[in-house]
Amino acid sequence: MKKHIPNTITCCNLISGCIATYFAFKGEYSTALTFIVVGAIFDFFDGFAARLLKVSSPIGKELDSLADVITFGFAPAALVFSTLSSYFMAGNGDLLVYVPYLAFLIAAFSALRLAKFNLDERQTMGFIGLPTPANALFWATFIVTLPASLSAEPWLPYALIVGIFISCYLLVSEIPMFALKFKSFGWKHNELRYVFILLSAILIAILGLAAFVVIIPFYIIVSVINNKLSKQ
């Protein structure tokens, strides 16, 4: 019976992503963000449960990626699509009405990133490219913190489009990024992880979930700097 526990948790992640997508298309962005966060929590505990119960399996690995495509690929793409639609689809008949569909590149590149992760043996204790949960949390919190009407800031819709291409590049890039995985819980060799967790906790305490708008770019910058320093 215990062998089914991790996969059940993974399915809860997938269901959370489906619910997040539903609310994203309805324009209820805060609720969508909540379910993406819930999905991220399930995503953490399915792997933890598999290791704890020693019931890791190939089907669990594949199911995890399928769930992540929904929760961390399609759900944030739906959020960006709905946001851009409210601005560009106001002018029916204009070619700009097709611009919001660029948001679904996030889902496609998230799937590519997860496929690479499953085959890349270099990513046991770190990541190559931006992890899909980090990308999803950034987009979800960013969308929630935007003005109610993008028309208030005419440059914002175009900034979102640029952001789509940047995040797609980061997902499949060869940039090494550290993971919050611990071989041991001592300070030595975990300094970066503990400092990052502490600073992130402080930001979340101050800003709430909106802190991820700052935490994810900070994570990318710290990863790049750490990678350069480790090569010296």
Side-chain angles (χ1 to χ4, degrees), residues 78-93:
L79 276 166
V80 179
F81 172 81
S82 295
T83 303
L84 288 174
S85 296
S86 67
Y87 181 83
F88 285 106
M89 290 190 174
N92 293 326

Side-chain angles (χ1 to χ4, degrees), residues 7 15 22 34 37 41 48 74-75 78 86 92-93 109 112 116 138 147 150 171 183 189 193 207-208 210 226:
N7 289 346
I15 292 168
Y22 168 76
T34 299
V37 172
I41 294 170
F48 180 80
F74 189 44
S86 67
N92 293 326
F109 276 81
L112 283 170
K116 283 182 64 179
F138 170 79
L150 294 186
L171 284 166
K183 285 185 176 178
H189 304 304
R193 294 178 181 87
L207 302 174
N226 181 58

Side-chain angles (χ1 to χ4, degrees), residues 2-53:
K2 68 179 184 179
K3 68 179 181 180
H4 297 298
I5 293 174
N7 289 346
T8 300
I9 298 172
T10 301
C11 288
C12 289
N13 170 18
L14 190 152
I15 292 168
S16 297
C18 293
I19 297 171
T21 303
Y22 168 76
F23 282 108
F25 283 130
K26 282 192 69 179
E28 297 182 27
Y29 302 148
S30 294
T31 307
L33 166 60
T34 299
F35 279 99
I36 288 175
V37 172
V38 170
I41 294 170
F42 283 127
D43 184 53
F44 172 80
F45 280 106
D46 63 0
F48 180 80
R51 290 188 294 271
L52 182 67
L53 299 172

Side-chain angles (χ1 to χ4, degrees), residues 99-111:
V99 168
Y101 293 98
L102 289 171
F104 294 114
L105 287 172
I106 296 171
F109 276 81
S110 294

